[in-house]
Amino acid sequence: MKNELVLQAFGQHLRRLREARGWSQQALADVADVSKPTIYRLETARYSVTLDVLASLAQGLEIPLSELMQFPVPPRSSAD
Amino acid sequence: MKNELVLQAFGQHLRRLREARGWSQQALADVADVSKPTIYRLETARYSVTLDVLASLAQGLEIPLSELMQFPVPPRSSAD
DNA sequence: CCCATTGTAATCATATATGATTACAATCAC
DNA sequence: GTGATTGTAATCATATATGATTACAATGGG
């Protein structure tokens, strides 16, 4: 799990998208067909996430995958 | 690894981006700082891919992450 | 003709992403 | 104030994503 900053940025982005819809983590987990712990872990940047899950999230959020990936990517740290 | 069609579409997209630059799999692996087997396996849709690696690929290809994710997502099969 | 490069492929080892389950404090409905 | 909901959290088990290594056929350069 290198590139931790990207994961944090994505987590925040995902949370904003979810909250903008007034959904609980459980509700998003349901419509996206992923587990509730996964939602929690992504929003809190505890792990990375696979393209599989990204596609499911986009589908659950009813937005294109490319839009789900439209979040500010922080500059790479000098340590990689 | 559900959502296999998405992985196939991404693999084709990645390959097109790479070949458009005239790069070998090894060359892309180098600039993106991922292994050559990983490039091969992604292009041939053998596995999914983590956001970590996606971010590295985008950086190696010198395009925004959102652009790397701009490929035609096939409709979900009825079997999920 | 060699020799290097390239894409494909398999194997092994390891890290990790995911789900299932459980728990718990805070909040909210009523 | 009791009971359900919510976010957080940990643990266990399992699948899998990734790297390292090796090999091999095809191709291309010289």
Side-chain angles (χ1 to χ4, degrees), chain A residues 6-42:
Chain A
V6 173
L7 303 185
Q8 288 176 15
F10 174 74
Q12 290 175 17
H13 179 55
L14 179 61
R15 174 159 290 185
R16 282 196 306 100
L17 288 171
R18 175 177 65 83
E19 292 182 339
R21 288 161 175 74
W23 292 353
S24 67
Q25 291 178 346
Q26 184 65 64
L28 175 56
D30 289 343
V31 295
D33 196 32
V34 299
S35 73
K36 171 186 154 180
T38 291
I39 303 293
Y40 163 68
R41 289 184 285 218
L42 295 189

Side-chain angles (χ1 to χ4, degrees), chain A residues 1-3 6-7 10 33 48-52 54-56 59 65-66 69-71 76, chain B residues 1-3 6-7 10 33 48-52 54-56 59 65-66 69-71 76:
Chain A
M1 184 174 36
K2 40 184 182 179
N3 236 334
V6 173
L7 303 185
F10 174 74
D33 196 32
S48 192
V49 52
T50 58
L51 178 55
D52 269 285
L54 289 175
S56 293
Q59 195 229 353
L65 181 55
S66 55
M69 304 310 285
Q70 231 147 23
F71 60 93
R76 322 247 314 168
Chain B
M1 184 173 39
K2 39 185 181 180
N3 236 330
V6 174
L7 303 186
F10 174 73
D33 196 33
S48 191
V49 53
T50 57
L51 177 54
D52 269 283
L54 290 174
S56 294
Q59 196 229 352
L65 181 55
S66 55
M69 303 310 285
Q70 230 147 22
F71 60 93
R76 321 247 316 169

